[in-house]
Amino acid sequence: YGEHNALMAGYRQANAKYIVNIDDDFQNPPKEILKILKYIEELDCDVVYGKYNEKKHAKWRNIGSWLNSWIAEKTFNKPKTLYMSSFRILNNKILQHIIKYKGPFAYIDGLIFRTTRRIEQTEVEHHVSVNKTSRYNL
């Protein structure tokens, strides 16, 4: 049923102070979790997105990311300088609001922006996928 519905299923089972989303293709090294964990604690914010200095995605996927970001700017007032990656950490307070959503088409970033503006980002490493090809398609 898609990445966001899978995340919602995991969120509903999670019971920790912080919840980290990380893809299974190792584009984000697991050691980077410590960086975003430290950042969310230092800034006392609700969400921290990992921002890539150099993205290792295909060009067509970067176009999709740009379009997603543009729509979020127009729809949710997302700051232009905020990069919404799938590598993020949320605190449990925000998670409890997000899991109240019961609709069939979950959009995690939209649910985050509906709930809080205490959102930050920090630069993290981004590697080529160990799968070599993206599982995303047009």
Side-chain angles (χ1 to χ4, degrees), residues 46-47 76 90-101 107-119:
D46 295 324
V47 179
F76 306 113
L90 346 144
N91 67 30
N92 192 280
K93 179 179 141 195
I94 295 308
L95 179 82
Q96 294 309 310
H97 287 283
I98 289 172
I99 63 175
K100 290 177 185 175
Y101 177 78
Y107 175 53
I108 303 301
D109 297 314
L111 295 171
I112 287 170
F113 277 95
R114 180 176 81 171
T115 307
T116 186
R117 296 294 169 176
R118 293 171 21 102
I119 302 168

Side-chain angles (χ1 to χ4, degrees), residues 46-89:
D46 295 324
V47 179
V48 173
Y49 284 95
K51 180 180 181 181
Y52 312 133
N53 184 30
E54 182 183 349
K55 291 171 62 176
K56 306 290 183 174
H57 292 141
K59 285 186 185 203
W60 67 266
R61 181 140 177 232
N62 290 336
I63 292 169
S65 293
W66 175 86
L67 181 60
N68 183 49
S69 182
W70 182 81
I71 291 170
E73 287 171 23
K74 304 302 179 206
T75 307
F76 306 113
N77 274 340
K78 178 193 82 67
K80 287 183 183 215
T81 57
L82 180 68
Y83 178 73
M84 301 180 311
S85 71
S86 60
F87 182 51
R88 62 183 162 253
I89 187 169

Side-chain angles (χ1 to χ4, degrees), residues 5 65 92 106 128 134 136:
N5 283 323
S65 293
N92 192 280
V128 174
S134 176
Y136 286 93

